């Protein structure tokens, strides 16, 4: 209105052009006839194709392990007798004497003089084992990538 294109700067011309245009009416929120759908069918087809590429697998596992262990404990002769049945049991005294004799014959790692009470200690072996059985079901889902790229 009264201004020519030559008297305005380029920025002012752009503002003038955009302000004089008539706005196109937009669809109201209740009007669904003018909205364009967001490709629900193609999205559904894509999702279905991705779902078809997944495979579910299950596996049953059973494991069994057997572990033996030997442990030696250093004991004085009276402790050996008590551990093997007590001083009232003649078999316990005989067994403790046998352990002490074997340890003396084997030498240094089997015998030791205790640094505090200065008594001779003998190594008594203890044996134990452990059996473990495990049973499990494992399931997982996996996507086949070759078909998923198409």
């Amino acid at each position: 209105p009264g201004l020519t294109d030559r008297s305005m700067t380029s920025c002012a011309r752009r503002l003038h052009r955009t302000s004089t245009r008539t706005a196109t009416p937009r669809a109201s929120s209740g009007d669904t006839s003018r909205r364009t759908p967001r490709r629900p069918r193609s999205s559904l087809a894509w999702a279905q194709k991705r779902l078809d590429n997944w495979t579910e697998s299950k596996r049953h596992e059973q494991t069994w392990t057997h572990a033996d262990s030997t442990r030696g404990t250093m004991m004085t002769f009276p402790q050996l007798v008590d551990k093997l049945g007590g001083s009232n049991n003649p078999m316990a005294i005989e067994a403790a004497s046998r352990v002490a004799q074997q340890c003396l014959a084997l030498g240094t790692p089997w015998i030791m003089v205790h640094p505090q009470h200065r008594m001779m200690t003998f190594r008594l072996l203890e044996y134990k084992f452990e059996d473990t059985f495990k049973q499990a079901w494992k399931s997982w889902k996996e996507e086949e990538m070759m078909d998923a790229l198409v």
Side-chain angles (χ1 to χ4, degrees):
L3 294 175
T4 63
D5 280 343
R6 289 183 180 231
S7 64
M8 290 191 266
T9 62
S10 63
C11 184
R13 277 192 292 259
R14 272 184 259 145
L15 282 173
H16 180 67
R17 274 187 247 141
T18 56
S19 66
T20 57
R21 288 188 192 156
T22 57
T24 56
R26 295 185 179 208
S28 65
S29 62
D31 186 14
T32 58
S33 63
R34 297 187 78 179
R35 283 193 204 159
T36 57
R38 292 189 165 204
R39 300 180 301 171
R41 285 190 177 147
S42 63
S43 297
L44 182 62
W46 176 84
Q48 185 64 41
K49 189 173 184 179
R50 293 286 300 227
L51 184 62
D52 291 342
N53 289 332
W54 286 90
T55 58
E56 187 171 345
S57 302
K58 291 182 182 178
R59 182 171 62 190
H60 182 248
E61 287 185 354
Q62 291 181 337
T63 57
W64 178 75
T65 57
H66 177 81
D68 289 325
S69 66
T70 304
R71 184 176 157 220
T73 306
M74 300 301 283
M75 297 182 186
T76 62
F77 189 77
Q79 289 173 332
L80 277 174
V81 172
D82 287 341
K83 176 83 173 177
L84 296 173
S87 59
N88 295 334
N89 186 350
M91 289 177 61
I93 296 172
E94 186 181 331
S97 298
R98 206 171 320 136
V99 168
Q101 287 173 358
Q102 287 177 353
C103 288
L104 285 168
L106 291 170
T108 302
W110 296 86
I111 58 170
M112 182 179 85
V113 176
H114 196 279
Q116 289 178 322
H117 53 69
R118 304 271 185 225
M119 290 180 73
M120 179 78 63
T121 57
F122 306 95
R123 187 179 303 253
L124 178 66
L125 295 179
E126 297 174 0
Y127 300 99
K128 78 176 194 179
F129 70 92
E130 183 178 351
D131 286 329
T132 306
F133 178 73
K134 291 182 183 178
Q135 182 171 335
W137 284 94
K138 293 184 179 182
S139 65
W140 65 91
K141 289 184 179 181
E142 196 171 46
E143 183 178 9
E144 296 172 9
M145 293 305 292
M146 292 299 212
D147 295 336
L149 297 175
V150 177

